[in-house]
Amino acid sequence: MQSLAIRREHIYRLGIQEAELTAAQISALITKYADVASGFTARANARFTKEITRQTLGEIQASIDDNLSRL
């Protein structure tokens, strides 16, 4: 799976230039989305217990965690 090399500073630049957000607002949004993404496996497992295998959930969560670690 290929991912883009998006760094926190890219998100800040975009948020400030395009959305006219403050650094504090951007930081809060990043934290909020990171918290939601970190709990993906638990929510997906609760809603789709028999539809998604543990292995698939683990692979998806590992990819999410890897992306978050780059921020």
Side-chain angles (χ1 to χ4, degrees):
M1 185 180 312
Q2 183 179 0
S3 63
L4 299 175
I6 298 173
R7 299 252 181 241
R8 186 175 288 261
E9 51 272 8
H10 297 128
I11 296 171
Y12 273 88
R13 191 173 337 126
L14 183 65
I16 291 168
Q17 292 175 353
E18 300 297 328
E20 298 179 1
L21 298 171
T22 66
Q25 290 171 313
I26 297 164
S27 180
L29 284 170
I30 291 171
T31 299
K32 177 181 176 180
Y33 285 103
D35 288 345
V36 170
S38 294
F40 169 81
T41 296
R43 287 187 311 284
N45 194 38
R47 291 188 65 194
F48 306 104
T49 305
K50 296 180 182 179
E51 289 87 356
I52 306 173
T53 67
R54 290 187 190 273
Q55 179 181 348
T56 298
L57 286 174
E59 291 171 3
I60 294 169
Q61 190 65 58
S63 180
I64 290 169
D65 293 344
D66 184 50
N67 288 331
L68 289 174
S69 73
R70 290 190 219 133
L71 289 178

